[in-house]
Amino acid sequence: MAFGLGLLNGLKYTATRVFKTYVGDFKHLGRRYDDKLFKERQSVKGSGIFTVQYPEEKLPVPENFRVVPFLVYEPALDENGKPLIDPATGKEMIGKQKCTACGICSKVCPPQCIWIVRALTPEGKPKPQPAEFYIDIDICMNCGSCAEFCPFDSIKMDHVYELANYERHVSHIYDIGVLSKPASYHAKIHPTDWAAEEAERAAKEAKKK
Ligand code: SF4
Ligand code: SF4
């Protein structure tokens, strides 16, 4: 092979890729971040440069992707059985926390980053619900053991990964307000897990009848 031909071949390959990227951009003008198109460009059919233009572009995460845990709550319902929405936050209002404050998650957590305070009745007796619930998200190693061992399906692993902040001592100690997310959110990000839980619940109900 003539001297330098390999180098030229390499440059030709790179230049073709760059050119195809611009062709693709013009071809899909205004639709670059369209979900369907993005998937196509990231698939084997895609051409051009494959770099994900984060944060404008984000790759979809798999269902079992794990970052930090969240607590699942059942929403408060209106007279038609629809979830009540808090106008201040736009979130579904809390009807009932699924968590019973049993403490299993905090016992099995390898780095011990879960802290739970159980609620009390006016007579001072323990109630099966948490008054406070904290997770230090910088110590959490995203193992998912808490979600795995929870007997009430009330703690699940979230997909949100953009957690950077300017300090950690306040904003990275997630309290019950930050950790709580509605069951509809769990159903949305974990459809397979949710369907299995619903099937199990329906089977238990049917057994009781
Ligand atoms: S294991 Fe589940 S029910 Fe028990 S304290 Fe943890 S989240 Fe709550
Ligand atoms: S994911 Fe693992 S480390 Fe994080 S809170 Fe749950 S058990 Fe602890």
Side-chain angles (χ1 to χ4, degrees):
M1 190 181 279
F3 181 71
L5 203 59
L7 176 70
L8 284 177
N9 264 337
L11 288 173
K12 188 181 97 188
Y13 187 78
T14 309
T16 311
R17 284 276 165 196
V18 172
F19 180 71
K20 279 185 177 173
T21 305
Y22 287 106
V23 171
D25 278 357
F26 279 114
K27 201 166 127 198
H28 309 299
L29 211 59
R31 291 195 302 129
R32 189 165 157 69
Y33 298 117
D34 173 288
D35 266 2
K36 194 166 158 263
L37 183 62
F38 180 60
K39 272 187 197 144
E40 188 189 309
R41 285 175 68 123
Q42 288 295 313
S43 73
V44 285
K45 288 187 201 148
S47 59
I49 291 174
F50 291 94
T51 309
V52 176
Q53 303 293 325
Y54 182 83
E56 286 86 3
E57 292 178 347
K58 286 172 194 167
L59 292 178
V61 295
E63 185 173 338
N64 287 334
F65 186 70
R66 307 189 302 257
V67 192
V68 295
F70 65 96
L71 291 173
V72 184
Y73 67 81
E74 301 291 356
L77 302 175
D78 65 13
E79 61 277 7
N80 301 317
K82 292 224 168 100
L84 288 165
I85 306 294
D86 182 344
T89 60
K91 275 172 73 172
E92 290 175 17
M93 288 164 85
I94 299 177
K96 185 177 168 285
Q97 284 285 358
K98 287 184 85 177
C99 175
T100 61
C102 69
I104 290 175
C105 56
S106 70
K107 281 202 181 79
V108 298
C109 172
Q112 294 286 289
C113 62
I114 302 178
W115 178 259
I116 306 164
V117 179
R118 180 169 266 199
L120 297 173
T121 63
E123 298 78 41
K125 289 191 177 151
K127 271 195 343 193
Q129 64 188 63
E132 296 171 51
F133 199 114
Y134 301 97
I135 297 180
D136 185 330
I137 64 152
D138 286 339
I139 292 179
C140 171
M141 58 187 215
N142 323 107
C143 65
S145 293
C146 49
E148 201 69 39
F149 283 91
C150 174
F152 301 99
D153 289 321
S154 52
I155 188 164
K156 299 287 170 186
M157 299 306 288
D158 210 344
H159 286 178
V160 179
Y161 53 83
E162 290 167 319
L163 307 172
N165 227 309
Y166 289 101
E167 58 76 48
R168 67 165 246 83
H169 297 290
V170 179
S171 52
H172 281 192
I173 311 294
Y174 281 13
D175 65 14
I176 194 165
V178 179
L179 289 168
S180 299
K181 297 197 174 179
S184 58
Y185 176 76
H186 166 45
K188 189 173 150 212
I189 67 167
H190 302 127
T192 313
D193 192 12
W194 173 256
E197 281 169 26
E198 284 299 286
E200 196 182 326
R201 193 185 55 78
K204 271 187 195 158
E205 290 292 317
K207 229 180 189 180
K208 275 188 211 162
K209 282 177 191 167

